[in-house]
Amino acid sequence: MKKIKHFLLFFATLLIWLALSLSIFGARESALAQKADPSSISDDQVNAIAKNLYCPVCENVPLDVCGTQACEQWRQVIRQKLAEGWNEAQIRQYFVDQYGDRVLATPPARGINWLAYVVPPLVILAGVWILVQAFRSWKRPLTASPSLPEPENLSPEVLKRIEEELKKR
Amino acid sequence: MITELGYGTLAISFLLAIYGIIAATWGVLKRRPDWVDSARNAMLLTFPLLTVSALSMIYLLVYGHYEVEYVASVTSNSMPLYLRITALWGGQAGSLLFWSWLMSAFASAVTLRNWERDREFLPWVIVVCLITLAFFLGLTLFVENPFDRLWLLPGGIAIKSFFAPQGALPYFQSDGKGLNPLLRHPGMIIHPPMLYLGFVSFVIPFAFAIAALVTNRTDDRWIRITRRWSLVAWLFLSLGLILGGRWAYDVLGWGGYWGWDPVEIAAFMPWLTGTAFLHSVMIQEKRGMLKHWNMILIILTYNLVIFGTFLTRSGVLSSVHAFAQSAIGPLFFTYIGASFVISLSLLLRRWQTLKSDLHMTSLLSREALFLLNNLLFMGILVVCFWGVIFPLISEIVTGQKVTVGPPFYERATAPLFAGLLLLMGIAPLAAWRHSTVQTLGKAVWKPTVVSLLIPLLALASGVRNWAALLGFWLAAFVACVTLYEYGRAVLARSRSRNESLLRAFWNLAGRNRRRYGGYIIHLGVVLMAIGIIGIELFQTETQGTLAQGEQLSLGPYTMRFDSLAVFDTADGRNVARAVVSVYKNGQFVGELYPRRDFYYESQQPMTIPGLRSTMEDDFYVLLVDWQPISSAGATFKVYHNPLVNWLWLGGLVFILGTLVAAWPDSETNPATVRARRRLPFAAKAS
Amino acid sequence: MSVQSIPEKQSQQTNPTKGLRLGPLLAWVVVIALLVILAIGLLRTQQGPVNVGQKIPDFTLTTFDGQTIKTADLRGKVIVINFWASWCKPCEQEAADLEAAWRFYQARGDVTFLGIDYVDTEPEALAYLKKFEITYPNGPDLGTRISQAFRIRGVPETYIVDQQGVLQFVQIGPFRSLSQIKSVIDPLLQP
């Protein structure tokens, strides 16, 4: 009975973890911007979008903090598009079309890129499974045959003798 | 002259390392202890030799011998003395020399310990240490030689070589290119050495583990010998990571401390396995279980160290930290391959003899919870590893690059980190071997209730972010449990021995350093968690272009742009420095000087933030842009980073705790661990 | 009795457990897969750009004015493929020379120039083309596909391809002069 309880506990934690991951993964779209000229778009509006884009010229540095001229031009493009009334999703798509998937902070979940999201949870689940199996096999012998000697368990006496032998050498 | 000295000692150390490997193997195969002793002396000698070599390099750097190519590439006349010294690890070739030097220091240190009881390990420890050392020395000597000089061929072409090519004249430059501006920061003086120290000191436990596998002495002896080594390695690695974070916060100018950059992750991965290892060895020591697992962990740690170095230096990944493209990639790859394959086959060969002694009796016992902790650490490792390696896979399959950026890691690891915090709270309350829902529940409910006060307070003060509330509760819970455990032990000791509370506290930490040092580390983690929650979940930012006298507000802060000056400095920078006044809730709190340094030599800009730091929050101002004509207008980016200082405070506590845990014992405590094993008598064994 | 022999003897007595059959296989597969991935990744970085003597990867360029140009259709002509960007200072050094070379060869009809605009924004790119009065076909590198196929390391880089589509010359960094460009192209042309 207790065992079941433990497993429930185990899987409950797991489920919570999965639920947490999924809920955070769900992206939210913000509907920004009305029609206006570029100067009416604030730096913060531009940065909010730039934060999640990566310029191939400076790898691994988000667009909003990158100082190169190329990135400066990109931010101008975002400002222009915002002024034209595009929303964040459209602008991101524009950059993907222009420069490829690498501009996105995370790989888009299609094609082989599914693997990026599927493999870690699977490996972790496999780890859980191995752990559960290990727990089971560790528990069993004690209930089934408590005095079963493991062959390579050296008794204290033998170990002591080994130590002595070693000291003599 | 000095160049020859440095190169000569380097070459001799390499030959000694090769000799040592052969002598140790020969000695053990032919049962000739004198050969092993000779190998040991060879290993001991590499340290003084490489010290001479490293000092020669420092001499060349300090005195500006620009005929040496490495010196010309990382120093310049305008650099101050301390930067010239730290330039030793500012480039590929020099840092390989530095790495080798540290490695030889640890290898020599390990020969000096008392080997009487563990003689059978000695040759194999020598072999592993010296193979690692010889590999790095070989790279330094043959591929990336820091002592290479520049020569001018008759045709006017400059080439790099140690020995003078025929007909070539030495090429003396009057100035060098100078150190990468990113590395010109006090944090950079200690950050890489600490990481390297952490890396090389993990080689020692690995060497013992391999020795134990080869000699088939797979009991917990190797673990007991290397316990302190692992802790020291872990200390340096943690320190390196924390300093790296601080350096990023102060210099990289993106308002954060950790960017999930592949190279950062490369240093983080051995730390993860190392941390898991430190926890799971306790199970082997107390319960004689998990021998396989500990072997796997230490082997993983070593291989991740090499793998991380490979990623950083081979040019496989592009990253802000990566060294330039270099020829060492294929050699490194060969070494990694050999290392993976040899360690795995050794492990599989000894799999049977590594079987556990004992059985798990309860799923809520401390050992079971430690295993869960290991699972979570491995989970984080898997996410990190996959994130680093996936762009490679994707590029191979589709031919298109993808970015695996911070959101990937943050979303995937946040729940795992939360799980670790939870376990950190529960595990100290669970007993070894036996623990039931009842006993554990009894121990847990009090701290749970007390710690719930914190999220409730946060809720009352207007925090509505459920992730933050959960995080605060977990932090409070761990803090409660840890302090309660500590307090209970101190009280008990002070009562039973009639000691003052302070004295009892001191003696307690001294008596069981690892346990109580560990608790201090846990408290450090709690503080760091608070800081991380603060900056990750509550960071706000804004950006604006201000004319002189205009203001920009963010949260409780308001900044006013006072003035801007652009000037050249003696050390070859063009500095644009703004003066801004900062007001908090309308109250003047001080001036900040965010600036942009432009390095003429390397044509690189650096954005140095102006920072007002308190325990409550940081106000972080970046100078993004300015009008070149006058000081009329400038663009500022400002961040409000709540609680981030707790991260650094926690880092200090964390390091302090590790020091307590790793501090050498005054009286040596011979193996009492084995006596604690309660084995059924195994008659067969004789 | 020798110390080391005790566990040896016992390990022979124990039968391999269930976990051991699948485990090692899996471990080897993972290790070898990882090494293969690293090896391929390393090869790619070591390789550098497309090598002289190789056939170039064919691509389709959509120019700024909407024309579609396929390199596969350009067999029989010498193609000069220039990667550039408006934010790239060194590109400006060679821009005038490239255009002059184009005007020199344009009349012959057997040399084509293609400008590929790497990671750039259209207004700035068009301003750049106007500033240097560039008249040969130019287009954006959509999705950075062309630059990835050529594995370029930066801009400017120029690839000169012969009539059979085989790469004959690579210039990393800007050309120094008009005569340098001519000295590369002339030997490729039939007399």
Side-chain angles (χ1 to χ4, degrees):
Chain A
M1 270 293 69
K2 203 177 276 165
K3 207 194 226 165
I4 294 171
K5 212 190 278 171
H6 295 324
F7 280 118
L8 281 179
L9 204 77
F10 217 127
F11 284 111
T13 359
L14 198 74
L15 277 179
I16 291 171
W17 176 70
L18 281 176
L20 285 181
S21 321
L22 285 176
S23 67
I24 315 176
F25 264 107
R28 279 169 300 168
E29 302 292 342
S30 58
L32 274 169
Q34 316 300 315
K35 279 206 196 298
D37 69 307
S39 58
S40 73
I41 304 294
S42 77
D43 289 347
D44 289 344
Q45 282 171 293
V46 173
N47 282 340
I49 293 172
K51 223 178 170 53
N52 299 312
L53 290 174
Y54 287 75
C55 168
V57 175
C58 35
E59 276 174 270
N60 297 308
V61 180
L63 184 59
D64 65 328
V65 289
C66 183
T68 64
Q69 201 197 333
C71 294
E72 183 50 47
Q73 290 180 9
W74 279 37
R75 288 193 289 268
Q76 286 308 319
V77 171
I78 297 176
R79 189 182 300 268
Q80 184 64 41
K81 300 287 176 201
L82 279 174
E84 287 165 16
W86 291 33
N87 66 25
E88 181 172 355
Q90 286 168 317
I91 293 175
R92 286 161 65 99
Q93 191 54 48
Y94 169 79
F95 277 101
V96 170
D97 293 341
Q98 287 282 314
Y99 311 107
D101 288 342
R102 64 206 281 198
V103 301
L104 298 175
T106 51
R110 62 178 134 75
I112 176 136
N113 292 340
W114 268 106
L115 283 180
Y117 302 96
V118 171
V119 168
L122 279 184
V123 175
I124 293 169
L125 278 179
V128 171
W129 184 79
I130 291 173
L131 202 57
V132 169
Q133 293 298 314
F135 273 136
R136 275 195 181 159
S137 71
W138 284 328
K139 287 201 83 177
R140 201 179 297 132
L142 267 192
T143 46
S145 54
S147 61
L148 183 81
E150 290 285 317
E152 72 285 359
N153 279 347
L154 302 185
S155 72
E157 275 84 344
V158 176
L159 280 168
K160 218 168 129 197
R161 242 187 60 205
I162 295 173
E163 296 282 320
E164 278 160 9
E165 290 256 349
L166 274 172
K167 272 179 203 157
K168 273 184 229 151
R169 282 214 285 177
Chain B
M1 191 51 224
I2 295 291
T3 322
E4 280 82 9
L5 179 70
Y7 186 74
T9 43
L10 192 67
I12 298 171
S13 323
F14 177 69
L15 293 176
L16 273 178
I18 299 286
Y19 164 76
I21 296 165
I22 297 169
T25 323
W26 181 259
V28 78
L29 291 180
K30 297 284 166 191
R31 296 183 190 278
R32 295 276 299 275
D34 47 333
W35 280 94
V36 178
D37 279 333
S38 170
R40 175 181 174 175
N41 291 335
M43 182 148 97
L44 193 61
L45 207 56
T46 55
F47 177 57
L49 281 172
L50 283 174
T51 307
V52 171
S53 190
L55 284 176
S56 319
M57 193 71 238
I58 290 176
Y59 176 90
L60 295 171
L61 288 165
V62 168
Y63 289 96
H65 283 254
Y66 298 121
E67 74 272 16
V68 176
E69 196 271 340
Y70 180 73
V71 175
S73 70
V74 292
T75 58
S76 64
N77 290 333
S78 57
M79 274 165 57
L81 179 67
Y82 79 96
L83 281 179
R84 285 164 167 268
I85 296 172
T86 58
L88 175 61
W89 51 85
Q92 174 93 280
S95 67
L96 281 172
L97 172 64
F98 184 62
W99 214 105
S100 314
W101 178 63
L102 292 177
M103 181 68 228
S104 73
F106 276 78
S108 295
V110 85
T111 59
L112 294 176
R113 68 180 294 277
N114 182 7
W115 280 96
E116 294 221 334
R117 287 167 48 83
D118 327 294
R119 260 218 75 103
E120 76 274 27
F121 284 173
L122 177 63
W124 299 112
V125 170
I126 293 177
V127 167
V128 174
C129 288
L130 284 185
I131 287 180
T132 315
L133 182 60
F135 171 67
F136 279 92
L137 283 176
L139 287 181
T140 321
L141 265 182
F142 302 119
V143 190
E144 291 280 346
N145 185 355
F147 294 104
D148 270 352
R149 280 171 286 204
L150 281 170
W151 303 91
L152 219 48
L153 290 178
I157 306 158
I159 63 158
K160 207 178 102 169
S161 162
F162 181 74
F163 298 104
Q166 206 162 19
L169 292 166
Y171 179 34
F172 289 103
Q173 289 169 287
S174 58
D175 200 356
K177 282 198 235 82
L179 192 63
N180 182 345
L182 284 177
L183 308 181
R184 300 186 185 193
H185 179 264
M188 246 4 236
I189 300 173
I190 27 185
H191 160 62
M194 287 303 134
L195 276 187
Y196 292 166
L197 274 173
F199 285 170
V200 295
S201 42
F202 263 124
V203 176
I204 308 296
F206 171 74
F208 274 93
I210 291 295
L213 279 178
V214 174
T215 55
N216 218 345
R217 289 295 310 269
T218 47
D219 56 353
D220 53 9
R221 169 183 288 246
W222 71 274
I223 283 181
R224 279 183 292 113
I225 297 172
T226 59
R227 191 158 73 193
R228 193 144 283 120
W229 287 102
S230 323
L231 265 173
V232 168
W234 192 69
L235 168 71
F236 285 128
L237 207 48
S238 313
L239 201 55
L241 288 168
I242 293 169
L243 285 171
R246 182 70 217 196
W247 167 70
Y249 191 70
D250 282 348
V251 170
L252 292 186
W254 80 68
Y257 55 95
W258 182 258
W260 294 103
D261 181 272
V263 172
E264 290 172 346
I265 296 172
F268 187 49
M269 287 194 294
W271 185 88
L272 285 171
T273 49
T275 315
F277 177 73
L278 287 179
H279 284 97
S280 80
V281 288
M282 286 190 242
I283 314 181
Q284 183 169 346
E285 285 176 21
K286 298 259 191 225
R287 303 286 323 273
M289 301 170 52
L290 296 186
K291 290 174 174 176
H292 294 129
W293 184 233
N294 290 324
M295 279 287 175
I296 293 174
L297 280 178
I298 197 69
I299 286 172
L300 262 182
T301 308
Y302 175 83
N303 282 305
L304 284 172
V305 163
I306 302 290
F307 180 69
T309 324
F310 167 73
L311 285 186
T312 329
R313 289 158 185 274
S314 66
V316 166
L317 297 176
S318 33
S319 143
V320 278
H321 299 253
F323 290 83
Q325 309 279 27
S326 108
I328 68 175
L331 284 172
F332 237 112
F333 176 75
T334 318
Y335 186 71
I336 284 192
S339 164
F340 280 2
V341 168
I342 293 172
S343 3
L344 182 59
S345 39
L346 255 178
L347 186 71
L348 292 176
R349 234 187 97 198
R350 297 292 186 223
W351 195 257
Q352 281 306 313
T353 60
L354 280 167
K355 275 187 70 184
S356 303
D357 298 349
L358 277 177
H359 300 284
M360 194 68 76
T361 42
S362 158
L363 282 171
L364 288 173
S365 62
R366 195 180 291 182
E367 54 266 35
L369 294 176
F370 271 32
L371 271 180
L372 267 182
N373 140 310
N374 270 238
L375 178 72
L376 292 174
F377 272 117
M378 289 304 108
I380 297 171
L381 177 72
V382 165
V383 171
C384 289
F385 190 84
W386 188 245
V388 168
I389 211 85
F390 184 76
L392 275 180
I393 299 176
S394 171
E395 201 187 342
I396 289 167
V397 176
T398 64
Q400 296 287 304
K401 284 198 171 89
V402 291
T403 309
V404 177
F408 175 86
Y409 298 103
E410 281 162 8
R411 289 164 191 170
T413 56
L416 298 171
F417 278 118
L420 276 176
L421 268 180
L422 184 67
L423 280 177
M424 199 189 273
I426 297 175
L429 298 174
W432 291 103
R433 300 168 71 84
H434 297 287
S435 218
T436 62
V437 179
Q438 281 78 18
T439 56
L440 195 59
K442 223 170 175 180
V444 164
W445 78 267
K446 268 186 265 179
T448 310
V449 169
V450 175
S451 60
L452 273 173
L453 277 176
I454 300 291
L456 284 177
L457 270 176
L459 199 65
S461 65
V463 176
R464 288 291 176 275
N465 184 324
W466 61 267
L469 291 174
L470 179 70
F472 284 138
W473 172 70
L474 283 170
F477 178 61
V478 179
C480 277
V481 169
T482 315
L483 291 173
Y484 173 71
E485 281 288 292
Y486 227 119
R488 202 177 56 172
V490 167
L491 269 180
R493 187 177 171 103
S494 108
R495 247 185 242 139
S496 66
R497 306 213 181 178
N498 247 337
E499 290 173 344
S500 73
L501 283 179
L502 206 67
R503 177 145 195 87
F505 174 81
W506 184 254
N507 287 338
L508 198 65
R511 195 177 52 86
N512 194 345
R513 287 219 175 77
R514 199 155 45 135
R515 181 183 176 110
Y516 292 99
Y519 283 158
I520 297 177
I521 296 174
H522 283 186
L523 283 179
V525 173
V526 166
L527 296 178
M528 291 170 87
I530 293 172
I532 291 171
I533 294 167
I535 185 169
E536 291 297 331
L537 297 174
F538 297 107
Q539 182 182 54
T540 49
E541 58 174 87
T542 185
Q543 181 177 325
T545 304
L546 307 180
Q548 230 166 352
E550 279 188 336
Q551 293 182 337
L552 187 64
S553 292
L554 180 68
Y557 286 96
T558 302
M559 58 157 273
R560 192 187 65 217
F561 173 38
D562 290 341
S563 65
L564 180 99
V566 183
F567 50 89
D568 281 344
T569 61
D571 57 354
R573 286 175 296 158
N574 177 268
V575 177
R577 182 170 169 275
V579 180
V580 300
S581 304
V582 180
Y583 298 83
K584 187 172 190 184
N585 301 320
Q587 206 75 31
F588 178 73
V589 287
E591 279 185 345
L592 290 179
Y593 314 103
R595 55 176 225 263
R596 173 77 71 99
D597 293 5
F598 184 79
Y599 286 80
Y600 288 116
E601 288 156 349
S602 54
Q603 294 283 306
Q604 258 181 299
M606 285 276 291
T607 311
I608 313 287
L611 183 61
R612 182 185 186 271
S613 196
T614 61
M615 284 318 284
E616 189 188 344
D617 51 16
D618 277 18
F619 188 63
Y620 187 105
V621 185
L622 291 171
L623 176 63
V624 178
D625 200 8
W626 63 92
Q627 304 300 320
I629 324 131
S630 67
S631 49
T635 307
F636 294 94
K637 182 159 191 178
V638 291
Y639 291 90
H640 180 238
N641 298 334
L643 301 175
V644 69
N645 243 331
W646 292 70
L647 176 60
W648 314 120
L649 179 73
L652 276 180
V653 174
F654 187 100
I655 296 302
L656 195 78
T658 320
L659 276 175
V660 169
W663 203 259
D665 290 312
S666 43
E667 83 273 49
T668 40
N669 197 11
T672 49
V673 183
R674 191 173 294 120
R676 278 191 225 137
R677 289 199 198 160
R678 291 161 200 110
L679 301 176
F681 183 79
K684 258 194 215 165
S686 54
Chain C
M1 161 181 163
S2 138
V3 174
Q4 277 91 347
S5 73
I6 300 174
E8 291 280 358
K9 214 168 75 189
Q10 276 145 9
S11 66
Q12 284 158 13
Q13 292 167 0
T14 22
N15 296 320
T17 51
K18 192 180 110 196
L20 205 65
R21 271 178 248 135
L22 195 70
L25 192 71
L26 204 67
W28 282 118
V29 166
V30 168
V31 163
I32 287 167
L34 177 64
L35 288 177
V36 167
I37 291 166
L38 287 182
I40 300 177
L42 195 62
L43 270 180
R44 265 172 184 272
T45 42
Q46 295 281 317
Q47 242 175 357
V50 176
N51 289 322
V52 171
Q54 285 179 342
K55 266 207 172 279
I56 56 152
D58 277 317
F59 59 87
T60 306
L61 180 71
T62 309
T63 63
F64 287 117
D65 43 24
Q67 249 182 294
T68 307
I69 299 172
K70 290 195 172 102
T71 51
D73 301 342
L74 294 173
R75 293 287 179 266
K77 286 185 180 185
V78 170
I79 319 172
V80 178
I81 301 165
N82 173 248
F83 289 93
W84 63 279
S86 66
W87 42 263
C88 151
K89 288 284 164 217
C91 298
E92 297 181 0
Q93 292 172 26
E94 64 170 9
D97 291 336
L98 274 172
E99 175 61 22
W102 162 242
R103 291 186 186 175
F104 178 79
Y105 290 110
Q106 192 175 13
R108 296 178 51 114
D110 58 354
V111 181
T112 311
F113 279 54
L114 295 178
I116 296 169
D117 186 17
Y118 170 74
V119 185
D120 208 348
T121 45
E122 201 168 325
E124 282 79 9
L126 291 176
Y128 176 98
L129 291 177
K130 198 169 172 202
K131 180 178 168 196
F132 293 98
E133 298 175 339
I134 292 170
T135 53
Y136 55 87
N138 272 279
D141 179 13
L142 285 180
T144 61
R145 279 198 191 85
I146 305 169
S147 50
Q148 286 191 53
F150 277 78
R151 294 190 295 269
I152 70 164
R153 284 185 176 158
V155 274
E157 284 186 12
T158 308
Y159 296 76
I160 298 183
V161 185
D162 70 9
Q163 289 84 347
Q164 285 75 44
V166 175
L167 185 63
Q168 292 296 345
F169 181 81
V170 180
Q171 172 75 20
I172 309 286
F175 280 110
R176 286 186 299 277
S177 64
L178 174 61
S179 57
Q180 193 202 355
I181 305 176
K182 283 189 189 170
S183 69
V184 186
I185 298 175
D186 283 337
L188 300 176
L189 298 172
Q190 275 88 9

